[in-house]
Amino acid sequence: MIELKTYQQRRRRLAEQMQAGVAVIPTAPERSRNRDSTYPYRFDSYFHYLTGFGEPEAVLVLVAGAEPKSILFCREKNPEREVWDGFRHGPEAARETFCFDEAYPIAMLDEMMTKLLADQPSLHFHLGADSAWDVRAVGWLNAVRAEVRNGIAAPSAIRDVRVLLDEMRLIKSTDEIATMRRAAEISTAAHRRAMQQVRPGRHEYEIEAELLHDFHRHGAQAPAYTSIVAGGANACVLHYVDNSARLRDGDLLLIDAGCELDGYAADITRTFPVNGRYSAVQKDVYEMVLAAQAAAIGAVKVGASWDDPHQAALKVLAQGMIDLGLCTGSVDGLLESGDYKRFYMHKTGHWLGMDVHDVGDYKRGGQWRKLEAGMVLTVEPGCYIRPGEDVPEHLWNIGIRIEDDVLVTARGCEVLTLAAPKTVDDIEATMAGAA
């Protein structure tokens, strides 16, 4: 749980980095699912990072400079709607609870923005993220420009507020790390439960239900992304989410799933045998991917480049593909030609935080950025073997990915999801124990 004072500190830090000008950060809108039903509401990550306020129809305005202040625009109290839809803070209670300097009804936003932008040097905004908000922002600027004969100047610059926020979000605080540890624990338990519930004849969606059950019963609000529960050949589809097939004896099951807890994501992938025992060839491919992941995790440390874990994994995978007969030639030749991409076509990880593919540049000035303590990334090598005339038939339709969440620390790294069974022996023992 992030303390309320943390949100205040973040707003102050952003205002200091802006130096001058006005920032506008709206939350996400409610989305219609069909007719009069909406999708479960999920706030905008940037907005929530700065406010902790979870209601829709809200906007944060930050005024930087000599007299900085934070202003919330939100829905007014409405007892009738609260009977139907639930509690609303209203401006006054929101201001007191979430420590804003000022708060106003959302209906006053356009009127007040004209005043707030007057004689300000810049507007800090998420330009290009939402066309409707772009039009609205242009309207504010034009309204201020119309006052030029009255001696009022409009902002002369529009800056992307996400540039500053992305860097802030990339380094996780102690509170954030604690929340992500708990999200990892919940997700780890769910993967263990899934292993124990798998057997031939069940359907992928039944195992997805086990994951969701464990997420919610341990306090997570939602899955961090649509769970991938892919049996057999489906595991060779990277973003498979149909989750409808029957699980077959002798196949592997790839599960890529993690929960969201208090706005923070976990992201774990495990691949294991539907019948509880790896075949010899499945074990060979699995051990190759596991060794690649170990090499990649070993490369995660302060001062290493973002690409170092990927390159470490590639060397192991390339040699393994040669040994399995999937590719020919030398490791260096394979890496140079890129022929390995037929069986491993993605990077070895991504940033993790409030979003499962979290914010933050991977390169700076054209160079891979250096890892710093407090960054959290996934490490997820894989191997996906589709049928082909030149592919050994005994390897067809084996899809394996192994993914963990890794925190960069001053002494190296911490694998937040280490407790999820991962070795062949641990996975088989976990499944045998359930039987």
Side-chain angles (χ1 to χ4, degrees):
M1 180 70 72
I2 309 299
E3 296 184 8
L4 289 176
K5 66 178 182 181
T6 299
Y7 299 108
Q8 271 187 299
Q9 292 166 353
R10 290 170 179 171
R11 295 195 293 267
R12 289 172 185 160
R13 183 180 167 197
L14 176 58
E16 289 170 359
Q17 293 184 73
M18 289 167 53
Q19 297 183 338
V22 176
V24 179
I25 301 100
T27 195
E30 291 181 295
R31 301 287 186 184
S32 174
R33 183 183 185 278
N34 63 307
R35 198 165 169 82
D36 58 352
S37 297
T38 59
Y39 285 101
Y41 182 68
R42 206 280 187 178
F43 44 74
D44 174 79
S45 294
Y46 289 109
F47 175 85
H48 199 267
Y49 179 79
L50 293 168
T51 67
F53 189 71
E55 296 181 23
E57 297 183 70
V59 176
L60 170 67
V61 177
L62 280 181
V63 180
E67 298 181 3
K69 61 181 176 180
S70 61
I71 306 169
L72 178 72
F73 293 84
C74 65
R75 301 179 302 185
E76 293 189 82
K77 291 290 290 181
N78 186 325
E80 181 179 353
R81 288 314 313 166
E82 289 180 56
V83 169
W84 291 89
D85 303 327
F87 175 76
R88 298 182 180 187
H89 279 87
E92 187 57 32
R95 182 188 63 79
E96 293 180 1
T97 302
F98 295 91
C99 306
F100 295 102
D101 297 307
E102 301 173 16
Y104 301 98
I106 188 66
M108 295 179 64
L109 176 65
D110 292 329
E111 173 191 347
M112 291 197 64
M113 283 308 303
T114 304
K115 300 174 183 177
L116 290 168
L117 289 172
D119 296 322
Q120 291 288 346
S122 55
L123 169 63
H124 298 252
F125 188 66
H126 64 334
L127 191 66
D130 185 297
S131 58
W133 277 106
D134 290 351
V135 170
R136 203 165 179 180
V138 169
W140 302 331
L141 294 172
N142 286 337
V144 181
R145 289 168 184 148
E147 298 293 323
V148 64
R149 293 185 180 180
N150 294 324
I152 296 174
S156 59
I158 300 178
R159 297 192 170 93
D160 191 341
V161 70
R162 293 169 295 189
V163 173
L164 297 175
L165 285 171
D166 286 357
E167 287 301 304
M168 289 174 61
R169 285 175 54 183
L170 190 53
I171 306 297
K172 305 313 190 271
S173 67
T174 301
D175 285 350
E176 288 178 294
I177 291 169
T179 302
M180 294 187 72
R181 277 202 187 97
R182 180 57 183 152
E185 290 172 0
I186 294 171
S187 301
T188 292
H191 275 264
R192 185 181 292 273
R193 179 185 180 92
M195 290 177 188
Q196 295 172 335
Q197 295 297 321
V198 166
R199 62 186 63 90
R202 299 197 75 182
H203 289 82
E204 293 164 344
Y205 58 75
E206 294 179 74
I207 307 307
E208 181 182 15
E210 300 291 348
L211 294 164
L212 296 174
H213 170 83
D214 241 43
F215 290 165
H216 287 292
R217 79 186 185 102
H218 287 115
Q221 292 84 10
Y225 52 97
T226 303
S227 301
I228 297 169
V229 183
N234 295 333
C236 295
V237 179
L238 298 186
H239 291 161
Y240 173 82
V241 292
D242 191 49
N243 298 353
S244 61
R246 187 182 294 275
L247 301 176
R248 301 187 310 172
D249 192 1
D251 280 350
L252 294 172
L253 176 62
L254 184 156
I255 295 179
D256 186 336
C259 76
E260 178 175 286
L261 176 69
D262 298 336
Y264 288 83
D267 186 2
I268 305 174
T269 306
R270 293 292 185 265
T271 310
F272 51 93
V274 170
N275 63 14
R277 299 287 295 181
Y278 291 89
S279 70
V281 66
Q282 289 170 349
K283 183 176 179 180
D284 287 343
V285 181
Y286 188 89
E287 294 283 16
M288 174 189 71
V289 177
L290 187 62
Q293 197 209 30
I297 291 173
V300 176
K301 56 187 175 183
V302 171
S305 85
W306 164 260
D307 199 45
D308 285 349
H310 180 61
Q311 294 303 321
L314 280 184
K315 291 178 182 178
V316 176
L317 290 172
Q319 183 62 64
M321 290 176 191
I322 293 169
D323 295 342
L324 289 168
L326 292 170
C327 298
T328 59
S330 66
V331 169
D332 290 341
L334 198 57
L335 296 179
E336 183 177 353
S337 68
D339 287 348
Y340 67 86
K341 291 181 181 178
R342 181 178 175 186
F343 305 105
Y344 178 53
M345 59 292 294
H346 60 78
K347 281 290 194 179
T348 305
H350 53 78
W351 300 129
L352 184 69
M354 296 190 76
D355 300 316
V356 68
H357 290 166
D358 208 33
V359 298
D361 293 333
Y362 294 97
K363 282 188 173 182
R364 308 192 78 178
Q367 301 296 317
W368 294 110
R369 76 180 302 154
K370 302 297 184 182
L371 299 180
E372 302 175 40
M375 293 176 171
V376 181
L377 61 148
T378 66
V379 179
E380 50 178 305
C383 184
Y384 315 93
I385 309 172
R386 291 172 172 268
E389 291 183 1
D390 58 342
V391 177
E393 188 171 352
H394 65 283
L395 295 170
W396 286 7
N397 296 321
I398 291 178
I400 293 171
R401 184 165 62 253
I402 307 171
E403 178 181 21
D404 282 291
D405 304 343
V406 182
L407 167 68
V408 184
T409 68
R411 298 182 179 180
C413 68
E414 174 189 347
V415 181
L416 302 178
T417 50
L418 187 63
K422 183 164 61 172
T423 67
V424 167
D425 287 346
D426 284 348
I427 287 173
E428 291 185 348
T430 297
M431 299 182 76

